[in-house]
Amino acid sequence: MLLPLAAVSAQNRAPKSADTKSAEGKPAEPNPLADEGYIAPPPSIARLVAAPREQNVNFSAPNPGSRQYFLRTMSDGLPSLQNVGKAHHNLGGFQVDYRGNRDRALTMRSSAGFEITEWASGRKIPVVVPAGARVSTPVWSPNGLQFAFLALFEDATQIYVADAATGKARAVTTRSTLSTNVTAPEWTADGTTIVTVLVPDARAPEPKEPRLAAGPMVRLNENNKLKTRTYPDLLASPFEKTLLEYHTTGQLAVVNVKTRAVKKVGAPGLIRSIDSSPDGQYFRVTYVEKPFSYLLPVASYGTREVVIDGAGTVLRELSKRTLREGEEPADPTDPQPRAGPAGRAAPIDTGKRNIAWHPFAGGLLYAQIAPAPAGAASGARVDSAATASATASATASATARRADRLMHWTAPFDSTGGTTLYETANRIASVQFSDDGKIMFVSETATGGTFEQAIFLDENNARFTVIAPRARDRGADSLARAAAAPAGGAGGRGARTSELVTRPGRRGVPVVVVSTDGKYVFTQGTTPDSVGKTPRAFVEKIEIRTGTRSRLYESAADVFETIYAPLDDDFTRVVVQRESPTVVPQSYVLTLASREAKQLTNNVDLMPEITKAVRKTVVARRADGYSFNVKVTLPADYKEGTRLPAMFWFYPREYDNQEAYNRSLTPGAGAANRFPTYGPRSLAFIVTQGYALIEPDAPIFASEGQLPNDNYVVDLRNNLAAVIDALDTLAIVDRQRLGIGGHSYGAFSTVNAMVHTPFFKAGIAGDGAYNRTLTPNGFQSERRDLWQGRQTYLEMSPFLYADQLNGALLMYHSTEDQNVGTDPINSIKMFHALQGLGKTASLYMYPYEDHGPVARETVLDQWARWVAWLDKYVKNAGGKPKVTTM
């Protein structure tokens, strides 16, 4: 049965096309390529799309404090169209569920509830959520005895707090929060209060659009150069500016968890973000600044960050970013200083960096390069790019010799700044503490690598090198990194052994795990990948004062193991996950000394027909000498030598040369040794319909003196020819029955493949851009504008070669695609062109969806259209597709 759009949420309602009759008076047979309304794919596909992935659990982060509970968010599978399609405003990329006073994403991605597991006993504690509400991501209190979440009602958003031991939840707020920008409750360190943003008192009803416009929307540019990306949504009227202000204006408040008493902090304002001091006495607040813009999305508007006290008094302005509708100046944080418009070298960042609250002593921490010695130059006027480069190099060299300082800045945050806590000749990258606040761990970057220093604050800042310099890709980590890091520290995928293990601390921020005797810290990670071997997880103990390492644990070689979090500060027990290419991931509590493992989960293989599919990697070699990998997935019952109809799915990427491509092949930690997982839109499902899935790397290489995109069409054609030749030689594919597809840049490349090669009978292209004149200021990795790279832009625009299309093209596009550069007009105009040329094409426009559909009804419908299209034009050219009722 076909469900019409207007009635998709009503189950088993008669379709709009159900009463249509053929010329002979018989009911017309449904046509999955032409009928409107939501339809379903073959049952073998529908089962995989709707597989209950949410029932498989991974326990990785226990509650703070006791570490006796794991909290599971109860999903109910793919979001329903009812949630995805709820009425909302899209204001320059700022999307608001206006009835619920919240970010639209909270509504779309909401969950059904929570369940707590007491791991030692196995007891399950259901959390009772309020009737009629969905829920947001939970936030544990610092002591781990309760957690807060947003209860998402149809017309309001409230903060609730649940007790971990009983699962009982109760409301904390008495009126709706304004969760349009601030989308999670924030606990203070003692766990007695929550900082949030509320709907202001006596807020007027939402403004209504005037019946008649007051005048035109005005855009004016007078010789002002502003190169922007092709943004999907911008404010389009004075009324939308009014709506934006209405849904951004909120009241900062501190709410007592027990009494529900509300302390308002200052007057309502255009609040972008908040960050409370641990004691809840001071607040870093970022406000959106006027004027608003018709040229830039809301995320690029001017902002002002200030520190305010409990009365709302501004104590200090920390930063101000103005709305820039003109040419951007040189970025002072650019690691490659260059001459600016005035011919000066980019200035060195000597301001306050990486400001964060001190978790124990009150006030703020920040890093700052020490002042230049008296008489030192701060930058000189230069007359050429070469001189600018030399000056920048000399300035950087001089700065490198200046010390970097960690400063402590206390209220009232006056202009004299802070006092020096620590000074080093290296550059301070991050700072973390032990849970008692007595040891400060400073990560410093130097020419030879990175130091991890332990500073004993109660021993006159005695310093010990915990980890000696070793190169690592850490970048300019923030002092605030600890506050944003996930519980469990370095225990995730691809963990680096130079990262100290952290856990949630008693003050509400992650702290470095220090053994109970105060002597040791820990690192964890995996051994490097090597061909034919499973990477092994390990834990090392490091003596703080000597840096001496000893290995506590190394996993077995027959499974891939991920270490997530210690369950005590001596690392005697940890949470791990074990899996292999044939073993479903399961969570365990592992006792390191005995190697005894207590299994916590009972996950199952939800789609054996896919996980047991035949998988190969084939090397394709081009005539010009370049080579690249091709991933091949075949049905589980595939017989060698059987030529199958094939579906290519790809996404080209640019490389300077073969060596650069080869470096990109380094897999993630144990990628080949993990259990395969598949999302609802994974093209691997197509193998259940008798196809081979071909996923080729598609490297676009730069030639000498050229950029990669200058070779895009030639490389695309050579890549695909090499793949087909390789698979034909291996007797895997029937080269007369090939389809090709991709999403976003892959969709763009799909249509290019179909207009520039004769290889494919059909294509599937989703949320793509097909006319590069619509992205005149750059796209993907292309940084030239249309006028600098005119020939490349034109050659890469399949719209301009639509008359050369080979095969049948199916396009789909989300009507609310928020991706830069892929406005739905691309697909609409491409279909218009193909229709005028008499080409075989279809276009399915999906309401409410963004760049990559998520609603259950949409995903099922897409699969129904895809399978029918490929069956008709690839597998059974000229045959009649079948439709399945939803």
Side-chain angles (χ1 to χ4, degrees), residues 402-452:
R402 288 157 57 180
D404 203 6
R405 295 174 174 176
L406 178 67
M407 310 296 289
H408 185 204
W409 195 18
T410 56
F413 310 104
D414 58 32
S415 59
T416 60
T419 58
T420 302
L421 281 184
Y422 178 70
E423 187 171 299
T424 176
N426 302 317
R427 189 169 177 87
I428 296 171
S430 67
V431 175
Q432 299 176 100
F433 290 85
S434 59
D435 202 19
D436 59 8
K438 294 181 179 181
I439 310 175
M440 184 170 67
F441 295 90
V442 182
S443 178
E444 306 174 14
T445 58
T447 302
T450 301
F451 292 87
E452 290 286 356

Side-chain angles (χ1 to χ4, degrees), residues 122-156:
R123 182 168 65 106
K124 305 291 185 183
I125 306 168
V127 177
V128 181
V129 301
R134 307 278 296 173
V135 298
S136 70
T137 302
V139 183
W140 281 107
S141 65
N143 63 13
L145 298 180
Q146 51 191 345
F147 63 89
F149 61 92
L150 297 179
L152 312 175
F153 297 95
E154 184 70 18
D155 58 355

